Amino acid sequence: MPAEDNLIQCLQVLITSEAGDKHAKHPNLTFTRAQPKSDNRLTIEPDTLRQKMQGIGTSFTQSSAFVLAHLEAESRDEVMAAIYSNKGANFTLARSHIGACDFCVEGKYSYAEVADDTTLQHFSIAQDYAPFNRSSFADICDPEFTLLPMIQQANNIKAGQGDPAIKIIASAWTAPPWMKTIEDWYIESSAATSYEVGGGELKPEYRQTYADYLIRYLTAYADEGVDIWGLTPVNEPHGNNGQWESMHFSPESQNQFIKDHLGPALHSSAHPEVKLLIYDQNRDGLEQWTDTILADTETAQYVYGTAVHWYESTYLVYEDCLERVHNKYPQFDIIHTEGCIDDLGKPAPEGILDPEGFQETGWFDCDAFWWNDNATDWAYTAIWAPKVEDHPKYTPVHRYARNIIVSINHWMSGWIDWNIVLDQDGGPNHVGNFCGAPIMIDTHSKYVYYTPIYHVLSQFSRTIRPDDYAVLTRLQTPALAQDTLHACATKNSKDVVSVQLLNTSKTEITLSIELCQQVAELSLPANSVVTLQLQL
């Protein structure tokens, strides 16, 4: 708290907006002891500390490495610095895949390719170093720049500026096929009759082998200088209806797997400090999974927290669910481990009419796409979803900023994006599941496009740092529509409060900031993300 005769100092105002600002510095605010002028008021209570933050991050994938491998070393180094250095986004969290996922060039690989190798004698992570040296990859500048070299360079950037290594949460999309009931990577949706069939389940006799497989991955990566911070048993245990690599768990079977196999094995391994997170799928299922696993004290002793994704809705954050879970299990973290713009740029399929005439082109190197109501879930095919109304067209920047801000207000300790880099088509993806990424690169022309999502995530990451605490905020906007304005705040050990604001409207909004019995008046530009850093 500032002394009674001292005024709060505004250290900086950063703005990213549809008008063209890219975490640009704007004139600082002046705090006074006057009365608020606006009916819109944000009250910040910096002494009411909530969850400790792990930070903001993005993901390492083979696809991202493949796209970056198309750049000359100098250009690639510039992009890597823009992602991981303190002169760029300075991300502190990350996710990576254990074995193949859909965002691999060819997919369908594991680290235990020899069937029935229960002792994992043939275990190898060589695939994560395997060069991109096929004749069809002629445009690649550096075929040796693959998944592990990308992670190692990112950590080297951190080490070079005296920062800790990136906290990586690793997830397997599937066990090796020979460990699963379907004995295959997946059964495509046309042949699958359920999520369980599409990805298969672990055979009972290989449950311990799979636990050992995950721990061997931790050891192999540590031997290459990469310490993994967190681990989930599998990505998206509900499956994906056999569209790409997957494996099914129910809450009950994952609970048993952790209690009897993975938990004890991890605890007695060389990596007991690795954080085990459960679930790793959409927020609407969070409560069922935590009530099954975290309520079981025998299992919960091995668990650090819960990982969630955002794909159940284009606009809902499920803050009511986050609140209930935190209230029941306050000692466990909740971390968002995946979110992206699905099926970027695909036109409406035959028979599904788009009344606004959405066009496939226009999103690459076009900021207007990302700032307006243009994106769709699953290229209009969300008609199968249980609640179609939860999947309307949406503005990509709003989806990101809203989700992060509201999540922080409701106990989320970390937020990780999916692929950091993809190509001009939203790939490569070996099953055609093309998506958006913060940075898109034309692998032919080598043009690097930093989308507005990159600038928003960078603005958040640079001002929401590990070991900061979320603080209580109260937002009053009596004359505004519900989704018009969002706000959250965090505080660091030096009593710097960072305030994040999203104005989703096409008009400027005036807002009174109330902090420590002082007030500052702020004008938020139309369609913008604004960050204030305030010294108490």
Side-chain angles (χ1 to χ4, degrees):
M1 296 286 288
E4 188 172 342
D5 57 344
N6 289 338
L7 293 177
I8 294 165
Q9 298 299 307
C10 182
L11 302 179
Q12 63 176 351
V13 178
L14 301 175
I15 298 179
T16 297
S17 69
E18 183 182 16
D21 294 300
K22 295 176 171 60
H23 40 80
K25 291 187 177 181
H26 279 238
N28 288 349
L29 304 180
T30 299
F31 278 83
T32 70
R33 299 191 186 278
Q35 291 298 308
K37 296 179 181 178
S38 174
D39 289 337
N40 301 314
R41 299 180 183 181
L42 175 66
T43 303
I44 303 166
E45 299 185 11
D47 292 334
T48 306
L49 302 181
R50 292 161 70 85
Q51 74 274 23
K52 181 185 285 189
M53 301 301 300
Q54 300 294 347
I56 305 296
T58 187
S59 297
F60 300 105
T61 62
Q62 188 190 71
S63 290
S64 289
F66 178 81
V67 173
L68 286 166
H70 285 74
L71 300 181
E72 296 288 352
E74 183 177 358
S75 296
R76 186 172 67 244
D77 290 348
E78 289 177 2
V79 175
M80 290 291 287
I83 302 167
Y84 300 109
S85 81
N86 53 22
K87 294 182 180 179
N90 205 12
F91 291 124
T92 55
L93 276 176
R95 189 174 186 232
S96 193
H97 50 94
I98 300 173
C101 70
D102 53 321
F103 277 96
C104 290
V105 179
E106 296 176 309
K108 296 185 177 182
Y109 71 86
S110 75
Y111 307 133
E113 300 282 56
V114 177
D116 301 319
D117 179 16
T118 57
T119 62
L120 301 176
Q121 179 182 353
H122 301 284
F123 183 96
S124 172
I125 59 168
Q127 183 65 38
D128 292 346
Y129 275 125
F132 302 120
N133 56 9
R134 277 181 23 197
S135 59
S136 58
F137 298 158
D139 290 340
I140 283 186
C141 296
D142 184 0
E144 305 291 330
F145 190 81
T146 55
L147 179 60
L148 252 173
M150 180 185 178
I151 297 172
Q152 290 165 335
Q153 182 175 357
N155 275 338
N156 287 340
I157 290 171
K158 293 295 186 185
Q161 58 194 29
D163 288 343
I166 297 164
K167 293 179 178 178
I168 300 171
I169 297 173
S171 304
W173 266 233
T174 179
W178 56 269
M179 297 185 192
K180 300 196 300 176
T181 53
I182 62 171
E183 297 188 348
D184 204 346
W185 301 101
Y186 53 92
I187 297 175
E188 294 183 7
S189 56
S190 60
T193 58
S194 69
Y195 288 144
E196 292 90 336
V197 171
E201 300 174 87
L202 275 174
K203 293 179 179 179
E205 63 268 31
Y206 291 130
R207 289 170 185 160
Q208 188 58 52
T209 305
Y210 180 58
D212 295 340
Y213 172 87
L214 295 175
I215 292 168
R216 284 291 297 271
Y217 163 83
L218 301 176
T219 300
Y221 262 57
D223 289 345
E224 299 302 316
V226 177
D227 291 325
I228 299 299
W229 181 81
L231 177 72
T232 74
V234 77
N235 170 69
E236 298 188 345
H238 292 164
N240 54 50
N241 208 24
Q243 298 179 85
W244 52 80
E245 293 88 345
S246 63
M247 184 172 71
H248 177 81
F249 277 108
S250 67
E252 293 76 17
S253 65
Q254 187 169 111
N255 183 57
Q256 208 66 40
F257 173 67
I258 293 171
K259 184 192 307 185
D260 295 342
H261 303 285
L262 182 56
L266 185 61
H267 181 72
S268 62
S269 74
H271 315 284
E273 76 288 349
V274 171
K275 312 295 191 289
L276 183 59
L277 293 97
I278 63 169
Y279 190 36
D280 214 4
Q281 198 159 358
N282 294 338
R283 295 164 183 235
D284 64 318
L286 173 63
E287 199 164 7
Q288 178 190 8
W289 281 74
T290 54
D291 282 347
T292 299
I293 299 176
L294 300 186
D296 187 332
T297 56
E298 290 184 64
T299 309
Q301 65 179 318
Y302 301 117
V303 176
Y304 173 81
T306 307
V308 294
H309 302 177
W310 77 2
Y311 300 108
E312 198 61 26
S313 173
T314 61
Y315 69 97
L316 295 173
V317 183
Y318 293 93
E319 59 266 37
D320 53 342
C321 183
L322 296 174
E323 281 289 329
R324 289 193 299 270
V325 168
H326 171 79
N327 289 336
K328 285 189 280 188
Y329 312 106
Q331 68 271 40
F332 296 95
D333 266 21
I334 305 172
I335 296 177
H336 177 100
T337 50
E338 185 183 320
C340 69
I341 306 303
D342 285 302
D343 277 353
L344 183 67
K346 287 186 179 178
E350 184 178 356
I352 300 176
L353 299 178
D354 171 22
E356 297 184 26
F358 176 75
Q359 298 297 313
E360 180 179 2
T361 58
W363 58 266
F364 185 80
D365 199 23
C366 178
D367 287 3
F369 172 89
W370 304 84
W371 280 107
N372 290 281
D373 190 17
N374 292 313
T376 65
D377 264 359
W378 304 294
Y380 301 89
T381 59
I383 55 171
W384 57 262
K387 294 183 179 180
V388 178
E389 64 273 16
D390 289 345
H391 300 271
K393 290 175 69 173
Y394 63 93
T395 299
V397 167
H398 296 173
R399 187 177 186 183
Y400 271 83
R402 178 199 301 114
N403 197 283
I404 293 170
I405 289 171
V406 176
S407 293
I408 289 173
N409 279 334
H410 296 278
W411 305 104
M412 194 77 69
S413 67
W415 205 99
I416 305 173
D417 183 41
W418 191 203
N419 305 270
I420 180 57
V421 173
L422 289 174
D423 68 17
Q424 65 278 5
D425 298 317
N429 182 289
H430 76 93
V431 292
N433 181 33
F434 302 122
C435 296
I439 303 171
M440 316 290 286
I441 299 176
D442 187 321
T443 53
H444 306 300
S445 70
K446 318 299 183 183
Y447 176 74
V448 180
Y449 173 44
Y450 292 89
T451 74
I453 298 300
Y454 164 81
H455 297 292
V456 168
L457 289 175
S458 176
Q459 188 167 306
F460 285 152
S461 176
R462 289 159 61 178
T463 54
I464 302 171
R465 306 300 296 167
D467 299 328
D468 292 358
Y469 280 89
V471 299
L472 183 64
T473 59
R474 289 181 283 112
L475 185 62
Q476 298 172 281
T477 56
L480 299 180
Q482 184 176 2
D483 189 49
T484 303
L485 184 60
H486 296 280
C488 72
T490 55
K491 185 175 78 168
N492 68 17
S493 60
K494 297 179 180 179
D495 282 338
V496 174
V497 173
S498 294
V499 183
Q500 316 295 340
L501 299 151
L502 167 65
N503 176 5
T504 67
S505 76
K506 292 288 190 176
T507 58
E508 183 179 87
I509 294 175
T510 58
L511 179 69
S512 295
I513 310 289
E514 300 180 79
L515 176 61
C516 302
Q517 299 181 326
Q518 299 181 36
V519 176
E521 304 299 333
L522 172 66
S523 293
L524 287 85
N527 215 4
S528 67
V529 176
V530 178
T531 298
L532 316 176
Q533 287 205 289
L534 312 172
Q535 178 69 64
L536 299 184

